[in-house]
Amino acid sequence: MKIGVLGTGVVGQTLAAKLVALGHDVVIGTRDPAATLARSEKGPFGSPPFREWHAANPKVKLEAMAAACAHAELAFNVLAGQASVEALRGAADALAGKVLIDVANPLDFSKGMPPSLSVSNTDSLGEQIQRALPRTKVVKTLNTVNALLMVDPGQLAGGDHTMFMSGDDADAKAMVSGFLKESFGWKDVVDLGDITTARGTEMYLPLWVRLYGSLKTPMFSVKLVR
Amino acid sequence: MKIGVLGTGVVGQTLAAKLVALGHDVVIGTRDPAATLARSEKGPFGSPPFREWHAANPKVKLEAMAAACAHAELAFNVLAGQASVEALRGAADALAGKVLIDVANPLDFSKGMPPSLSVSNTDSLGEQIQRALPRTKVVKTLNTVNALLMVDPGQLAGGDHTMFMSGDDADAKAMVSGFLKESFGWKDVVDLGDITTARGTEMYLPLWVRLYGSLKTPMFSVKLVR
């Protein structure tokens, strides 16, 4: 499948590498490809510069955002939470009629650690993106686990934990749920309901952040027990 | 143990009945005992009036808030979220030096269903209560499950799910963790850290509410998989 991964950070890199390994035709989108490749400083959590990762993953193409969106039959938003809405609004035509999996969380690091949320309670990033892209089928998912678990949940407890999903379009959710199960190995994907339910999973992030602090590893998840 | 259950709703009733069955000396606190006993209308979710429950549970004493707080060696806050802080502030002297288990969630039903939170993101009800009662050791816990599961987690998956706990006082948390395990049967109690981590479990409530809507039963929980 032709897939666009919108965002060049560690989550985008992890998704793109896995999707290429699965045989998909993957383009990573960034605002300014030349600038992204020119950066030599490390990422926010000590990750190597994008160009090092890209040299090791030459099958993933790097293009400007509009080209990546045009390429995509299926797109992933892995841009920084607060920057997502405006960046995606510019690609509304290229994403029209397509499914966009929104993986981003509206984490606000501006007041230090632990982060708060830049939107919550009565709205969510998922809803903001759906409003900015009314012709796109936005499905919020994968935002409750570390990138390594997103693409390989079987690393933890043989995959015996839960992924949540929110979105307004039933067919898009059925497609995404199938994709998560067949491509990444998720066993339990729970449909929470319409895109407003993204408030629930985004507001889980403060608990995730505190659990990370308590457990000293991001390799954890929750299993919905019912 | 002498226990004060502060609040007469279904959560308070469920906790009080269990604690009396365990042999504790339990007083339920309410603003105006005569008025509470006089009420004949059903509770917000169709529960019977308090006096019917009380007639069936005569070992539980009903007293004014100050007397219930004075009685307590250990207290539970199960007042309605938004009303908790002011009601407890008036009992600051009676609760000084004691452990208060804060079970309440700051759910705001004023804008309809599903509820939003009246405080979140950069503050929490647990923190507000700790600030209102600086001489009390506030431990936030039990607020992520239905009342029936709070006191009997073994009803679900043999108890193979997780309870979270937040608080500033390590000894108080050790006591509460032991109490949850020995009295109620919790197997996995996770200490998230100081009382600011209550933001995490309170902000889990919007996800809980949506899961309730999706599963059509409140008899669910999450297991922390690590």
Side-chain angles (χ1 to χ4, degrees):
Chain A
M1 196 188 295
K2 292 183 174 183
I3 297 181
V5 174
L6 312 177
T8 58
V10 168
V11 178
Q13 293 171 18
T14 307
L15 279 167
K18 175 73 171 193
L19 293 165
V20 156
L22 289 167
H24 295 292
D25 178 7
V26 180
V27 173
I28 285 196
T30 189
R31 194 174 55 82
D32 181 343
T36 297
L37 288 172
R39 275 204 303 272
S40 58
E41 65 273 24
K42 287 185 183 292
F45 296 98
S47 56
F50 181 84
R51 66 183 180 194
E52 285 185 27
W53 177 85
H54 195 230
N57 292 271
K59 282 190 181 169
V60 179
K61 285 160 276 182
L62 180 71
E63 295 190 15
M65 197 63 77
C69 291
H71 166 84
E73 295 165 339
L74 171 66
F76 289 80
N77 173 40
V78 291
L79 292 162
Q82 292 172 292
S84 296
V85 182
E86 285 315 307
L88 292 172
R89 198 188 304 275
D93 287 337
L95 291 171
K98 298 177 179 177
V99 175
L100 174 68
I101 298 179
D102 176 30
V103 184
N105 282 305
L107 295 174
D108 178 2
F109 293 91
S110 68
K111 299 177 191 77
M113 295 294 285
S116 55
L117 300 181
S118 60
V119 56
S120 70
N121 204 16
T122 56
D123 198 4
S124 64
L125 181 62
E127 290 165 86
Q128 291 178 333
I129 291 172
Q130 182 62 82
R131 289 197 300 269
L133 304 175
R135 290 169 290 157
T136 300
K137 298 160 192 167
V138 177
V139 178
K140 183 101 202 185
T141 192
L142 294 178
N143 61 314
T144 54
V145 295
N146 171 271
L148 297 173
L149 289 177
M150 289 178 194
V151 301
D152 188 9
Q155 283 187 65
L156 182 68
D160 187 20
H161 47 106
T162 302
M163 182 45 61
F164 305 102
M165 182 176 65
S166 305
D168 290 343
D169 189 284
D171 291 340
K173 286 191 285 191
M175 187 277 273
V176 169
S177 176
F179 191 91
L180 296 185
K181 290 177 179 176
E182 289 150 31
S183 297
F184 297 157
W186 283 96
K187 294 175 179 174
D188 184 29
V189 179
V190 173
D191 182 358
L192 293 170
D194 67 25
I195 193 66
T196 70
T197 65
R199 296 174 202 175
T201 54
E202 293 179 12
M203 290 174 78
Y204 164 75
L205 261 287
L207 179 56
W208 189 94
V209 165
R210 299 305 195 140
L211 285 165
Y212 182 24
S214 183
L215 300 173
K216 316 289 185 207
T217 168
M219 299 300 282
F220 65 88
S221 182
V222 289
K223 174 185 175 175
L224 176 63
V225 181
R226 74 278 209 191
Chain B
M1 196 189 295
K2 292 183 174 182
I3 297 180
V5 173
L6 311 177
T8 59
V10 168
V11 179
Q13 293 171 19
T14 307
L15 278 167
K18 175 72 171 193
L19 293 165
V20 156
L22 289 167
H24 295 293
D25 178 8
V26 180
V27 173
I28 285 196
T30 190
R31 193 174 54 81
D32 180 343
T36 297
L37 289 172
R39 274 204 304 272
S40 58
E41 66 273 26
K42 287 185 183 293
F45 296 98
S47 56
F50 180 83
R51 66 183 181 195
E52 285 184 28
W53 176 85
H54 195 230
N57 292 271
K59 281 190 180 168
V60 179
K61 285 160 276 183
L62 180 71
E63 295 190 15
M65 199 62 78
C69 292
H71 165 85
E73 294 164 337
L74 171 66
F76 289 81
N77 174 40
V78 290
L79 292 162
Q82 292 171 292
S84 296
V85 182
E86 286 315 307
L88 293 171
R89 197 189 304 275
D93 287 338
L95 290 171
K98 298 177 179 177
V99 174
L100 175 68
I101 298 179
D102 176 30
V103 184
N105 282 306
L107 295 174
D108 177 4
F109 294 90
S110 68
K111 298 177 192 76
M113 295 293 285
S116 55
L117 299 181
S118 59
V119 56
S120 69
N121 205 15
T122 55
D123 198 5
S124 63
L125 182 61
E127 290 165 86
Q128 291 178 332
I129 291 172
Q130 182 62 81
R131 289 197 299 270
L133 304 175
R135 291 169 290 157
T136 299
K137 296 159 192 165
V138 177
V139 178
K140 184 102 203 182
T141 191
L142 293 177
N143 61 313
T144 54
V145 295
N146 171 271
L148 297 172
L149 289 178
M150 290 179 194
V151 301
D152 188 8
Q155 283 187 64
L156 181 68
D160 188 20
H161 47 106
T162 302
M163 182 44 60
F164 305 101
M165 183 176 65
S166 305
D168 290 342
D169 189 284
D171 291 341
K173 285 191 285 191
M175 187 277 271
V176 169
S177 177
F179 191 90
L180 295 186
K181 290 177 179 177
E182 289 151 30
S183 297
F184 297 156
W186 284 95
K187 294 173 180 175
D188 185 29
V189 179
V190 173
D191 181 359
L192 293 170
D194 67 26
I195 193 66
T196 69
T197 65
R199 295 174 203 176
T201 55
E202 294 179 12
M203 290 174 78
Y204 164 74
L205 261 288
L207 179 55
W208 189 95
V209 165
R210 298 305 195 140
L211 285 165
Y212 182 24
S214 183
L215 300 173
K216 316 289 184 205
T217 167
M219 299 300 281
F220 65 87
S221 182
V222 289
K223 174 184 176 178
L224 177 63
V225 181
R226 73 278 209 191

